[in-house]
Each structure stands twice: as structure tokens, then as C-alpha cells.
Amino acid sequence: MKRNMKSLVELKNIWFRYEGQEDYILKDINLEIRDRDILLLLGRSGSGKTTIARIITGLIPHFYRGELKGNVIINGRSIVNKPIYEIAEYVGLIRQNPENQILMTNVEREIAFSLEFLDIPREDMRKRVHETANKLGISNLLSRDIDSLSGGELQKVAIASILVRKPSIIILDEPSSYLSPSSVNRLRQYIMMLNSEGIAFLIIDHRIDYWLDITTRIAVIYKGKKIFDNNLTEFLKFIEKFDVGLNIPLHLRLAIDVNKCCGKRVLPITQDTKKVLQILQKGGNNDRV
Amino acid sequence: MIEFRNVWFKYDETEEYILKNINLVIEKGRIYSILGDNGSGKTTLIRHMNGLLKPTKGDVIVDEVNTRDIPISILSKKVALVFQYPERMFFSPTVEEEIKYTLINFGFEGKELDERTDYILKEFRLEDFRDRAPFSLSGGEQRRLSIAIAVSWDPDYIVLDEPTTGLDGEARKDLTSTIEKILNRRRTVIIVSHDLEYLFELSPHVILMNNGQIMFQGKFGELLENEDIVIKCGLSMPRISLLLHFLKRDGNLNNLKYNEILNLLLDKLRCTNYV
């Protein structure tokens, strides 16, 4: 059965420059996030990724000032002149620096805080807070003071406080920056579960290797322009042809470099490292015959 | 040499120990990486290196001096700690002034101050940015500046806490060449990380922590042969390590730097007539 892919977010011909800056940081960006997408947004530092997140969440133009051209449509409605609280109903943003979004002094209260405005009975609130904490593996932190948390723990709390609200789209800006691989694994599993329940994700992260296997689409921003927007298969072909300063995982970089040095396609550019190993071993076997 | 002798540490009486009987020797002129999960004690461990924290039990000895016996202001001249997102601490209007501010704090003045500043600007390829505002630099350039500042007074030990955080591909290359520069001057570099992929740039001596204890010490390559320990300690194996098994059959994989792996693989493909 083919699902009807609904458009959750549409950026149409977006141009933006920050107040006091001459150059546009975004130049004619068109980007769509559909129902159940896990969209990985890539690009070098300063390429405009975070600016896109700010536009989708309404932080631009409400909080960061500048000149915004084009249209932003969320759930079928233009949000350009809508107040932030209306946008926040649909979009949750987990920011780069978790300290920027923490408001309370205790972990359980912090996670519960975002439910305060949703008119949910107290018992249900508790249940949702504990369920979210459990899934992120931070149940043991619930009674702790915010001040006593490590960087990684704080980030998990910040993530929990957005996820608990279950908005229709969640934006994660550099989620892995303070997290260890095992914590990222747990987050990834939780994202996949929420995604299967219908929540779409936009993930911005320099650690590409963490997300390649769960992404439905990848977009690349380069100097304010979108230069790529397609699936993983096409992305692997793209990075073989163009070096745009991304942090390419080593197993892919190795295959790309080998092919470049040999002047032909010796190794496939694939996430399936076992396949690469088999091909290498076959090369060895040929020699012995 | 920095030596941890039976170091136990907890922040207050009631809580559990965060460091549990740490024994560790950091030798001069080498590169180390301290690895481990969130909350494994990495940051607490490095804060003992410049006396920011003192052990609850046991001793930390820096170049034959116990950290209990010497003021932190003197120790921090020897051991520089660079925290995550160091660039968040910038506040001077220009790159030059940002460097000078630190040097003045460490007692530089007059001609020596100017010469030292020029040397650092040149050494870390920051000359073109001299009059720029630090915040106008790119992410990688800002990280380079913050490390340049941390080594500006020439400490013997440079401890970098998660230096790859928030860096794109180009900026990571930049970081590698900055670290190599420091190593070439025979200084000691200690990187706190959980980014095993990045360590292929440097192939350091690794110290793996879990729950306040050291679980493994040895060469980076040896660590990658112990997948179960890596996973148990909350890290993940880089996918490239699967390909290393293929190269390792010849037993010639001593240095695990990416470029050497690439060359080795190319050699091997050539001699199997596969290419």
C-alpha cells in the first residue's frame, strides 16, 4: 500500500540575509519536508543550515532580524506572518547548544515544562515524561538538578523536553555534538520509532556517519544554495564526484580515494562495508589462482 | 611526565567515586586520546592534570611535582586545558588582541609580547585575520585560533576536550595539521574524544574509560582489535575497521593513520593485479 506523502514543510524561493549583512546567506532555497521524512541537511559551517532551521521554526524573522523573501508553508499554511507559538505546535527545534533551551532547575520539571501549555491531565503528563525519559535512557536523571548534569546528559534532557511534545516535525541541530556513540544509538532508535509513528525529522549534523543509514533523503547546501537533494544511493554517487568539504565517513573516503588513485572504479561507494571486503578478498584470491 | 598514582575522586562526601583508582603515565612528546562514554569520568580526569581538581585519595604528579603542592596559576602555565567550544570565550575586537590578552595574563610584555604574537599568528596561519573580529571567522578558523591561544605561552602539555565538536570536514583537516604542528615542537597532546573515526588522523596512544575506571590502555590499533571492549564502553567501531582485517592479514599494520592505510591498500591491490 502506497502511503500518501503529505507535505509538512515547504520552503519556496527563500532568500535571506541577516540584519547588517550585505550578502544573502540563503539564495533561492526550495526545500520540502514530507510526512515521515528523515531529511539529513548537510553543508560546511556557515553554509546556511542553521538559518534554514531558524526559518522553519519562525525564529526568523521573529527573533533574528533580516530580510526574508519567499514563502514558508507549514502544514499547508503560510507561516510568514504567524506568531511563533502557532508554529511551535507543529515544529520542535533541538538547538546546537542545550544550555540555550533549558529553563527549569530540575530534570523532570524541565521535560514536563513543554507539556504545561497543552492542557494535559497531570497523571498523563507524568506518564509521558517518564516514557520519554525511559526511551532516551535518562530515567535515572529525572530527580537530578540541572546544574549537576554533564554536557551529554544535559543534551539528552534538552532532546527529551522537545520529543515529549511529539510535534509533527522535529529539527535536530548538531544532535551528536555532546553525545557518545552509544547515546547517539539510543537517540537514533528513538527517532526511528517516532518516525514510524508519523513524526518527520530534519537532522543537521557534521557526523554524517551516524545518520546515513536511517535517512530517507539528503540535501546539501553550499554557499547558500541547494546543490543536492535526493536519496542515499544518489548521494553516494554525488560525493564520489564532488568534494564540498563534508566530513565523509572513512570507509567511504577510502573507496573514493582508491578509485581516484587508480583512475577507475575498483571499489563501490557503499555503506555495505562487507561487500567492499568481499571484493577486496576476491582480488586477493585471483592472485593466488 | 604526568603521573596518576592510585587516584580516587568524588565531588562530595555522599556521592559515589567518579574516578576509581586511576593509575596512568603520560609521557612527554607523545599524543594520547582519552576515550569513553558520556559520564565515564573523562572530563574529571583531565581536570586533575592542571590542578583544577585535586584527588580525594592518591596523587597526581606533574613533572615530579605533586599538584597539591603548587598553585594552579603556575601549573596551568605548564598544562593548558582547552574546553569544548573554546571559541565561545572570545571577547576581544580583533584576533591579534585576543592572542595578546592571554599572553599579557601569562606575563608577556613589550617587545617579547609583540614578537610572540607575530610568531603565533604566523605559525597558525592567522596572519591574514590579524585585524578581523574573532567571531567573523569560520568555525574551523575559530577553533584554530582558540588552540593557537592555548599554546601561545608554550605549555608542555595541551589537553583538548572534544576538539572535533561542531567541525566540518575541512575544519577537521585543519585541526589535524594544527595538532601535528604542536607535536612537531615535541609537546604532549591529550585529546578527549568519543570520535574514533577522527583518531585515524593521528593514531594516538589510547586510554579507554568506563564508569570511572581505565578499561584499556594501548595503541589505537590494538583497541580496534577489541571490539567488545569498545562497544561495552559506549563507543562504536568505525566501519573502516572491517576493511582493516583484510589488510592486517599481512601483519604489517603498525601505524593506523588514514594515509598509510590508503597507501597500503593501493599497494596490495597493485600486487594482486587487481588494479
PDB file of all heavy atoms in Angstrom, chain B residues 174-205:
ATOM      1  N   ASP B 174      42.031  20.868   9.149  1.00  0.00           N
ATOM      2  CA  ASP B 174      42.726  22.000   9.723  1.00  0.00           C
ATOM      3  C   ASP B 174      43.192  21.685  11.152  1.00  0.00           C
ATOM      4  O   ASP B 174      44.323  21.956  11.538  1.00  0.00           O
ATOM      5  CB  ASP B 174      41.754  23.184   9.738  1.00  0.00           C
ATOM      6  CG  ASP B 174      42.456  24.516   9.807  1.00  0.00           C
ATOM      7  OD1 ASP B 174      43.620  24.567   9.391  1.00  0.00           O
ATOM      8  OD2 ASP B 174      41.848  25.477  10.282  1.00  0.00           O
ATOM      9  N   LEU B 175      42.300  21.088  11.921  1.00  0.00           N
ATOM     10  CA  LEU B 175      42.618  20.708  13.299  1.00  0.00           C
ATOM     11  C   LEU B 175      43.791  19.724  13.328  1.00  0.00           C
ATOM     12  O   LEU B 175      44.717  19.860  14.133  1.00  0.00           O
ATOM     13  CB  LEU B 175      41.378  20.072  13.958  1.00  0.00           C
ATOM     14  CG  LEU B 175      41.588  19.511  15.360  1.00  0.00           C
ATOM     15  CD1 LEU B 175      41.824  20.628  16.367  1.00  0.00           C
ATOM     16  CD2 LEU B 175      40.389  18.664  15.792  1.00  0.00           C
ATOM     17  N   THR B 176      43.761  18.761  12.408  1.00  0.00           N
ATOM     18  CA  THR B 176      44.833  17.766  12.362  1.00  0.00           C
ATOM     19  C   THR B 176      46.178  18.436  12.132  1.00  0.00           C
ATOM     20  O   THR B 176      47.162  18.129  12.820  1.00  0.00           O
ATOM     21  CB  THR B 176      44.570  16.742  11.237  1.00  0.00           C
ATOM     22  OG1 THR B 176      43.278  16.195  11.440  1.00  0.00           O
ATOM     23  CG2 THR B 176      45.603  15.632  11.253  1.00  0.00           C
ATOM     24  N   SER B 177      46.223  19.377  11.174  1.00  0.00           N
ATOM     25  CA  SER B 177      47.523  19.982  10.906  1.00  0.00           C
ATOM     26  C   SER B 177      47.966  20.865  12.075  1.00  0.00           C
ATOM     27  O   SER B 177      49.164  20.963  12.362  1.00  0.00           O
ATOM     28  CB  SER B 177      47.530  20.736   9.568  1.00  0.00           C
ATOM     29  OG  SER B 177      46.685  21.842   9.627  1.00  0.00           O
ATOM     30  N   THR B 178      46.995  21.471  12.785  1.00  0.00           N
ATOM     31  CA  THR B 178      47.356  22.244  13.981  1.00  0.00           C
ATOM     32  C   THR B 178      47.969  21.331  15.043  1.00  0.00           C
ATOM     33  O   THR B 178      49.000  21.645  15.642  1.00  0.00           O
ATOM     34  CB  THR B 178      46.100  22.941  14.560  1.00  0.00           C
ATOM     35  OG1 THR B 178      45.542  23.771  13.557  1.00  0.00           O
ATOM     36  CG2 THR B 178      46.454  23.787  15.764  1.00  0.00           C
ATOM     37  N   ILE B 179      47.347  20.184  15.260  1.00  0.00           N
ATOM     38  CA  ILE B 179      47.856  19.243  16.276  1.00  0.00           C
ATOM     39  C   ILE B 179      49.234  18.710  15.879  1.00  0.00           C
ATOM     40  O   ILE B 179      50.138  18.601  16.707  1.00  0.00           O
ATOM     41  CB  ILE B 179      46.850  18.087  16.482  1.00  0.00           C
ATOM     42  CG1 ILE B 179      45.577  18.621  17.166  1.00  0.00           C
ATOM     43  CG2 ILE B 179      47.470  16.972  17.328  1.00  0.00           C
ATOM     44  CD1 ILE B 179      44.456  17.625  17.283  1.00  0.00           C
ATOM     45  N   GLU B 180      49.385  18.412  14.577  1.00  0.00           N
ATOM     46  CA  GLU B 180      50.689  17.909  14.129  1.00  0.00           C
ATOM     47  C   GLU B 180      51.790  18.942  14.362  1.00  0.00           C
ATOM     48  O   GLU B 180      52.924  18.608  14.690  1.00  0.00           O
ATOM     49  CB  GLU B 180      50.608  17.490  12.658  1.00  0.00           C
ATOM     50  CG  GLU B 180      50.009  16.094  12.533  1.00  0.00           C
ATOM     51  CD  GLU B 180      49.647  15.700  11.118  1.00  0.00           C
ATOM     52  OE1 GLU B 180      49.621  16.575  10.231  1.00  0.00           O
ATOM     53  OE2 GLU B 180      49.371  14.500  10.906  1.00  0.00           O
ATOM     54  N   LYS B 181      51.425  20.206  14.183  1.00  0.00           N
ATOM     55  CA  LYS B 181      52.374  21.295  14.416  1.00  0.00           C
ATOM     56  C   LYS B 181      52.844  21.303  15.879  1.00  0.00           C
ATOM     57  O   LYS B 181      54.021  21.468  16.176  1.00  0.00           O
ATOM     58  CB  LYS B 181      51.686  22.622  14.074  1.00  0.00           C
ATOM     59  CG  LYS B 181      52.610  23.651  13.543  1.00  0.00           C
ATOM     60  CD  LYS B 181      51.851  24.701  12.779  1.00  0.00           C
ATOM     61  CE  LYS B 181      52.090  24.545  11.296  1.00  0.00           C
ATOM     62  NZ  LYS B 181      51.219  25.366  10.506  1.00  0.00           N
ATOM     63  N   ILE B 182      51.892  21.117  16.770  1.00  0.00           N
ATOM     64  CA  ILE B 182      52.218  21.101  18.203  1.00  0.00           C
ATOM     65  C   ILE B 182      53.114  19.895  18.516  1.00  0.00           C
ATOM     66  O   ILE B 182      54.087  20.002  19.251  1.00  0.00           O
ATOM     67  CB  ILE B 182      50.921  21.046  19.055  1.00  0.00           C
ATOM     68  CG1 ILE B 182      50.058  22.291  18.796  1.00  0.00           C
ATOM     69  CG2 ILE B 182      51.261  20.951  20.535  1.00  0.00           C
ATOM     70  CD1 ILE B 182      48.665  22.206  19.401  1.00  0.00           C
ATOM     71  N   LEU B 183      52.794  18.758  17.913  1.00  0.00           N
ATOM     72  CA  LEU B 183      53.588  17.548  18.147  1.00  0.00           C
ATOM     73  C   LEU B 183      55.003  17.701  17.601  1.00  0.00           C
ATOM     74  O   LEU B 183      55.968  17.215  18.199  1.00  0.00           O
ATOM     75  CB  LEU B 183      52.908  16.336  17.504  1.00  0.00           C
ATOM     76  CG  LEU B 183      51.641  15.832  18.205  1.00  0.00           C
ATOM     77  CD1 LEU B 183      50.948  14.796  17.336  1.00  0.00           C
ATOM     78  CD2 LEU B 183      51.967  15.256  19.578  1.00  0.00           C
ATOM     79  N   ASN B 184      55.117  18.388  16.454  1.00  0.00           N
ATOM     80  CA  ASN B 184      56.446  18.607  15.877  1.00  0.00           C
ATOM     81  C   ASN B 184      57.343  19.414  16.800  1.00  0.00           C
ATOM     82  O   ASN B 184      58.564  19.329  16.720  1.00  0.00           O
ATOM     83  CB  ASN B 184      56.335  19.324  14.528  1.00  0.00           C
ATOM     84  CG  ASN B 184      55.836  18.392  13.453  1.00  0.00           C
ATOM     85  OD1 ASN B 184      55.929  17.159  13.602  1.00  0.00           O
ATOM     86  ND2 ASN B 184      55.291  18.953  12.383  1.00  0.00           N
ATOM     87  N   ARG B 185      56.714  20.235  17.634  1.00  0.00           N
ATOM     88  CA  ARG B 185      57.501  21.011  18.591  1.00  0.00           C
ATOM     89  C   ARG B 185      57.767  20.202  19.859  1.00  0.00           C
ATOM     90  O   ARG B 185      58.143  20.731  20.888  1.00  0.00           O
ATOM     91  CB  ARG B 185      56.769  22.320  18.924  1.00  0.00           C
ATOM     92  CG  ARG B 185      56.913  23.326  17.791  1.00  0.00           C
ATOM     93  CD  ARG B 185      55.870  24.397  17.843  1.00  0.00           C
ATOM     94  NE  ARG B 185      55.823  25.067  19.126  1.00  0.00           N
ATOM     95  CZ  ARG B 185      54.836  25.868  19.511  1.00  0.00           C
ATOM     96  NH1 ARG B 185      53.822  26.068  18.708  1.00  0.00           N
ATOM     97  NH2 ARG B 185      54.869  26.442  20.690  1.00  0.00           N
ATOM     98  N   ARG B 186      57.512  18.915  19.780  1.00  0.00           N
ATOM     99  CA  ARG B 186      57.770  17.958  20.857  1.00  0.00           C
ATOM    100  C   ARG B 186      56.985  18.280  22.129  1.00  0.00           C
ATOM    101  O   ARG B 186      57.446  18.080  23.238  1.00  0.00           O
ATOM    102  CB  ARG B 186      59.275  17.839  21.147  1.00  0.00           C
ATOM    103  CG  ARG B 186      60.079  17.446  19.918  1.00  0.00           C
ATOM    104  CD  ARG B 186      61.389  16.772  20.249  1.00  0.00           C
ATOM    105  NE  ARG B 186      61.294  15.695  21.198  1.00  0.00           N
ATOM    106  CZ  ARG B 186      60.818  14.483  20.941  1.00  0.00           C
ATOM    107  NH1 ARG B 186      60.309  14.217  19.750  1.00  0.00           N
ATOM    108  NH2 ARG B 186      60.800  13.576  21.871  1.00  0.00           N
ATOM    109  N   ARG B 187      55.787  18.796  21.946  1.00  0.00           N
ATOM    110  CA  ARG B 187      54.898  18.980  23.084  1.00  0.00           C
ATOM    111  C   ARG B 187      53.952  17.775  23.167  1.00  0.00           C
ATOM    112  O   ARG B 187      53.806  17.035  22.193  1.00  0.00           O
ATOM    113  CB  ARG B 187      54.077  20.271  22.921  1.00  0.00           C
ATOM    114  CG  ARG B 187      54.921  21.524  22.824  1.00  0.00           C
ATOM    115  CD  ARG B 187      55.652  21.803  24.133  1.00  0.00           C
ATOM    116  NE  ARG B 187      56.495  22.982  24.042  1.00  0.00           N
ATOM    117  CZ  ARG B 187      57.808  22.943  23.825  1.00  0.00           C
ATOM    118  NH1 ARG B 187      58.429  21.780  23.647  1.00  0.00           N
ATOM    119  NH2 ARG B 187      58.502  24.058  23.773  1.00  0.00           N
ATOM    120  N   THR B 188      53.325  17.630  24.322  1.00  0.00           N
ATOM    121  CA  THR B 188      52.422  16.499  24.531  1.00  0.00           C
ATOM    122  C   THR B 188      50.991  16.936  24.244  1.00  0.00           C
ATOM    123  O   THR B 188      50.564  18.000  24.686  1.00  0.00           O
ATOM    124  CB  THR B 188      52.510  16.027  25.991  1.00  0.00           C
ATOM    125  OG1 THR B 188      53.880  15.827  26.299  1.00  0.00           O
ATOM    126  CG2 THR B 188      51.732  14.743  26.208  1.00  0.00           C
ATOM    127  N   VAL B 189      50.266  16.137  23.483  1.00  0.00           N
ATOM    128  CA  VAL B 189      48.866  16.461  23.190  1.00  0.00           C
ATOM    129  C   VAL B 189      47.973  15.364  23.751  1.00  0.00           C
ATOM    130  O   VAL B 189      48.248  14.169  23.573  1.00  0.00           O
ATOM    131  CB  VAL B 189      48.633  16.605  21.668  1.00  0.00           C
ATOM    132  CG1 VAL B 189      47.150  16.849  21.372  1.00  0.00           C
ATOM    133  CG2 VAL B 189      49.472  17.733  21.093  1.00  0.00           C
ATOM    134  N   ILE B 190      46.936  15.760  24.460  1.00  0.00           N
ATOM    135  CA  ILE B 190      45.975  14.807  25.016  1.00  0.00           C
ATOM    136  C   ILE B 190      44.590  15.204  24.499  1.00  0.00           C
ATOM    137  O   ILE B 190      44.133  16.319  24.735  1.00  0.00           O
ATOM    138  CB  ILE B 190      45.998  14.834  26.557  1.00  0.00           C
ATOM    139  CG1 ILE B 190      47.400  14.465  27.047  1.00  0.00           C
ATOM    140  CG2 ILE B 190      44.953  13.886  27.136  1.00  0.00           C
ATOM    141  CD1 ILE B 190      47.761  15.050  28.390  1.00  0.00           C
ATOM    142  N   ILE B 191      43.962  14.295  23.748  1.00  0.00           N
ATOM    143  CA  ILE B 191      42.660  14.600  23.164  1.00  0.00           C
ATOM    144  C   ILE B 191      41.583  13.786  23.868  1.00  0.00           C
ATOM    145  O   ILE B 191      41.672  12.564  23.923  1.00  0.00           O
ATOM    146  CB  ILE B 191      42.630  14.230  21.671  1.00  0.00           C
ATOM    147  CG1 ILE B 191      43.646  15.060  20.901  1.00  0.00           C
ATOM    148  CG2 ILE B 191      41.249  14.432  21.086  1.00  0.00           C
ATOM    149  CD1 ILE B 191      43.712  14.671  19.447  1.00  0.00           C
ATOM    150  N   VAL B 192      40.592  14.457  24.405  1.00  0.00           N
ATOM    151  CA  VAL B 192      39.443  13.752  24.965  1.00  0.00           C
ATOM    152  C   VAL B 192      38.421  13.613  23.843  1.00  0.00           C
ATOM    153  O   VAL B 192      38.116  14.584  23.168  1.00  0.00           O
ATOM    154  CB  VAL B 192      38.819  14.548  26.127  1.00  0.00           C
ATOM    155  CG1 VAL B 192      37.563  13.858  26.635  1.00  0.00           C
ATOM    156  CG2 VAL B 192      39.833  14.705  27.243  1.00  0.00           C
ATOM    157  N   SER B 193      37.925  12.404  23.632  1.00  0.00           N
ATOM    158  CA  SER B 193      37.065  12.216  22.468  1.00  0.00           C
ATOM    159  C   SER B 193      36.190  10.972  22.591  1.00  0.00           C
ATOM    160  O   SER B 193      36.469  10.096  23.391  1.00  0.00           O
ATOM    161  CB  SER B 193      37.942  12.089  21.225  1.00  0.00           C
ATOM    162  OG  SER B 193      37.143  11.997  20.075  1.00  0.00           O
ATOM    163  N   HIS B 194      35.100  10.941  21.801  1.00  0.00           N
ATOM    164  CA  HIS B 194      34.491   9.632  21.553  1.00  0.00           C
ATOM    165  C   HIS B 194      34.332   9.433  20.055  1.00  0.00           C
ATOM    166  O   HIS B 194      33.511   8.673  19.600  1.00  0.00           O
ATOM    167  CB  HIS B 194      33.180   9.413  22.311  1.00  0.00           C
ATOM    168  CG  HIS B 194      32.340  10.619  22.515  1.00  0.00           C
ATOM    169  ND1 HIS B 194      31.841  11.340  21.490  1.00  0.00           N
ATOM    170  CD2 HIS B 194      31.941  11.217  23.660  1.00  0.00           C
ATOM    171  CE1 HIS B 194      31.139  12.339  21.988  1.00  0.00           C
ATOM    172  NE2 HIS B 194      31.199  12.306  23.290  1.00  0.00           N
ATOM    173  N   ASP B 195      35.179  10.123  19.315  1.00  0.00           N
ATOM    174  CA  ASP B 195      35.120  10.107  17.870  1.00  0.00           C
ATOM    175  C   ASP B 195      36.256   9.237  17.336  1.00  0.00           C
ATOM    176  O   ASP B 195      37.320   9.729  16.990  1.00  0.00           O
ATOM    177  CB  ASP B 195      35.255  11.567  17.389  1.00  0.00           C
ATOM    178  CG  ASP B 195      35.033  11.711  15.903  1.00  0.00           C
ATOM    179  OD1 ASP B 195      34.961  10.680  15.219  1.00  0.00           O
ATOM    180  OD2 ASP B 195      34.942  12.861  15.450  1.00  0.00           O
ATOM    181  N   LEU B 196      36.032   7.907  17.293  1.00  0.00           N
ATOM    182  CA  LEU B 196      37.100   7.003  16.860  1.00  0.00           C
ATOM    183  C   LEU B 196      37.504   7.267  15.410  1.00  0.00           C
ATOM    184  O   LEU B 196      38.660   7.087  15.050  1.00  0.00           O
ATOM    185  CB  LEU B 196      36.673   5.545  17.016  1.00  0.00           C
ATOM    186  CG  LEU B 196      36.571   5.008  18.444  1.00  0.00           C
ATOM    187  CD1 LEU B 196      36.301   3.512  18.433  1.00  0.00           C
ATOM    188  CD2 LEU B 196      37.846   5.278  19.231  1.00  0.00           C
ATOM    189  N   GLU B 197      36.566   7.700  14.577  1.00  0.00           N
ATOM    190  CA  GLU B 197      36.901   7.991  13.177  1.00  0.00           C
ATOM    191  C   GLU B 197      37.993   9.056  13.092  1.00  0.00           C
ATOM    192  O   GLU B 197      38.908   8.937  12.300  1.00  0.00           O
ATOM    193  CB  GLU B 197      35.656   8.505  12.428  1.00  0.00           C
ATOM    194  CG  GLU B 197      34.670   7.444  12.064  1.00  0.00           C
ATOM    195  CD  GLU B 197      34.499   7.293  10.546  1.00  0.00           C
ATOM    196  OE1 GLU B 197      34.846   8.192   9.764  1.00  0.00           O
ATOM    197  OE2 GLU B 197      34.013   6.234  10.151  1.00  0.00           O
ATOM    198  N   TYR B 198      37.873  10.069  13.943  1.00  0.00           N
ATOM    199  CA  TYR B 198      38.861  11.146  13.862  1.00  0.00           C
ATOM    200  C   TYR B 198      40.253  10.659  14.240  1.00  0.00           C
ATOM    201  O   TYR B 198      41.262  11.145  13.729  1.00  0.00           O
ATOM    202  CB  TYR B 198      38.469  12.332  14.758  1.00  0.00           C
ATOM    203  CG  TYR B 198      39.494  13.437  14.666  1.00  0.00           C
ATOM    204  CD1 TYR B 198      39.661  14.145  13.487  1.00  0.00           C
ATOM    205  CD2 TYR B 198      40.352  13.710  15.727  1.00  0.00           C
ATOM    206  CE1 TYR B 198      40.637  15.113  13.359  1.00  0.00           C
ATOM    207  CE2 TYR B 198      41.336  14.682  15.606  1.00  0.00           C
ATOM    208  CZ  TYR B 198      41.474  15.380  14.430  1.00  0.00           C
ATOM    209  OH  TYR B 198      42.455  16.321  14.302  1.00  0.00           O
ATOM    210  N   LEU B 199      40.322   9.673  15.144  1.00  0.00           N
ATOM    211  CA  LEU B 199      41.641   9.243  15.631  1.00  0.00           C
ATOM    212  C   LEU B 199      42.495   8.605  14.541  1.00  0.00           C
ATOM    213  O   LEU B 199      43.704   8.483  14.698  1.00  0.00           O
ATOM    214  CB  LEU B 199      41.480   8.302  16.825  1.00  0.00           C
ATOM    215  CG  LEU B 199      40.769   8.930  18.031  1.00  0.00           C
ATOM    216  CD1 LEU B 199      40.832   7.997  19.218  1.00  0.00           C
ATOM    217  CD2 LEU B 199      41.387  10.269  18.407  1.00  0.00           C
ATOM    218  N   PHE B 200      41.886   8.221  13.418  1.00  0.00           N
ATOM    219  CA  PHE B 200      42.672   7.703  12.302  1.00  0.00           C
ATOM    220  C   PHE B 200      43.596   8.774  11.717  1.00  0.00           C
ATOM    221  O   PHE B 200      44.509   8.465  10.976  1.00  0.00           O
ATOM    222  CB  PHE B 200      41.744   7.175  11.196  1.00  0.00           C
ATOM    223  CG  PHE B 200      41.218   5.801  11.471  1.00  0.00           C
ATOM    224  CD1 PHE B 200      40.018   5.628  12.125  1.00  0.00           C
ATOM    225  CD2 PHE B 200      41.948   4.677  11.102  1.00  0.00           C
ATOM    226  CE1 PHE B 200      39.526   4.362  12.388  1.00  0.00           C
ATOM    227  CE2 PHE B 200      41.473   3.409  11.371  1.00  0.00           C
ATOM    228  CZ  PHE B 200      40.256   3.249  12.019  1.00  0.00           C
ATOM    229  N   GLU B 201      43.313  10.041  12.005  1.00  0.00           N
ATOM    230  CA  GLU B 201      44.200  11.098  11.530  1.00  0.00           C
ATOM    231  C   GLU B 201      45.509  11.104  12.310  1.00  0.00           C
ATOM    232  O   GLU B 201      46.528  11.569  11.828  1.00  0.00           O
ATOM    233  CB  GLU B 201      43.531  12.478  11.684  1.00  0.00           C
ATOM    234  CG  GLU B 201      42.200  12.640  10.961  1.00  0.00           C
ATOM    235  CD  GLU B 201      42.349  12.701   9.453  1.00  0.00           C
ATOM    236  OE1 GLU B 201      43.453  13.018   8.975  1.00  0.00           O
ATOM    237  OE2 GLU B 201      41.352  12.408   8.756  1.00  0.00           O
ATOM    238  N   LEU B 202      45.468  10.628  13.555  1.00  0.00           N
ATOM    239  CA  LEU B 202      46.601  10.834  14.458  1.00  0.00           C
ATOM    240  C   LEU B 202      47.177   9.556  15.048  1.00  0.00           C
ATOM    241  O   LEU B 202      48.311   9.535  15.512  1.00  0.00           O
ATOM    242  CB  LEU B 202      46.168  11.753  15.608  1.00  0.00           C
ATOM    243  CG  LEU B 202      45.641  13.123  15.176  1.00  0.00           C
ATOM    244  CD1 LEU B 202      44.730  13.722  16.221  1.00  0.00           C
ATOM    245  CD2 LEU B 202      46.794  14.063  14.871  1.00  0.00           C
ATOM    246  N   SER B 203      46.399   8.496  15.042  1.00  0.00           N
ATOM    247  CA  SER B 203      46.818   7.208  15.602  1.00  0.00           C
ATOM    248  C   SER B 203      47.481   7.343  16.980  1.00  0.00           C
ATOM    249  O   SER B 203      48.652   7.010  17.156  1.00  0.00           O
ATOM    250  CB  SER B 203      47.759   6.509  14.622  1.00  0.00           C
ATOM    251  OG  SER B 203      47.890   5.157  14.965  1.00  0.00           O
ATOM    252  N   PRO B 204      46.761   7.838  17.966  1.00  0.00           N
ATOM    253  CA  PRO B 204      47.357   8.107  19.281  1.00  0.00           C
ATOM    254  C   PRO B 204      47.438   6.861  20.160  1.00  0.00           C
ATOM    255  O   PRO B 204      46.922   5.800  19.807  1.00  0.00           O
ATOM    256  CB  PRO B 204      46.341   9.079  19.903  1.00  0.00           C
ATOM    257  CG  PRO B 204      45.036   8.639  19.335  1.00  0.00           C
ATOM    258  CD  PRO B 204      45.319   8.139  17.944  1.00  0.00           C
ATOM    259  N   HIS B 205      48.083   7.043  21.299  1.00  0.00           N
ATOM    260  CA  HIS B 205      48.021   6.063  22.368  1.00  0.00           C
ATOM    261  C   HIS B 205      46.665   6.266  23.041  1.00  0.00           C
ATOM    262  O   HIS B 205      46.289   7.392  23.314  1.00  0.00           O
ATOM    263  CB  HIS B 205      49.162   6.365  23.345  1.00  0.00           C
ATOM    264  CG  HIS B 205      49.303   5.363  24.434  1.00  0.00           C
ATOM    265  ND1 HIS B 205      50.108   4.262  24.316  1.00  0.00           N
ATOM    266  CD2 HIS B 205      48.738   5.302  25.661  1.00  0.00           C
ATOM    267  CE1 HIS B 205      50.040   3.550  25.427  1.00  0.00           C
ATOM    268  NE2 HIS B 205      49.214   4.166  26.272  1.00  0.00           N
TER     269      HIS B 205
END
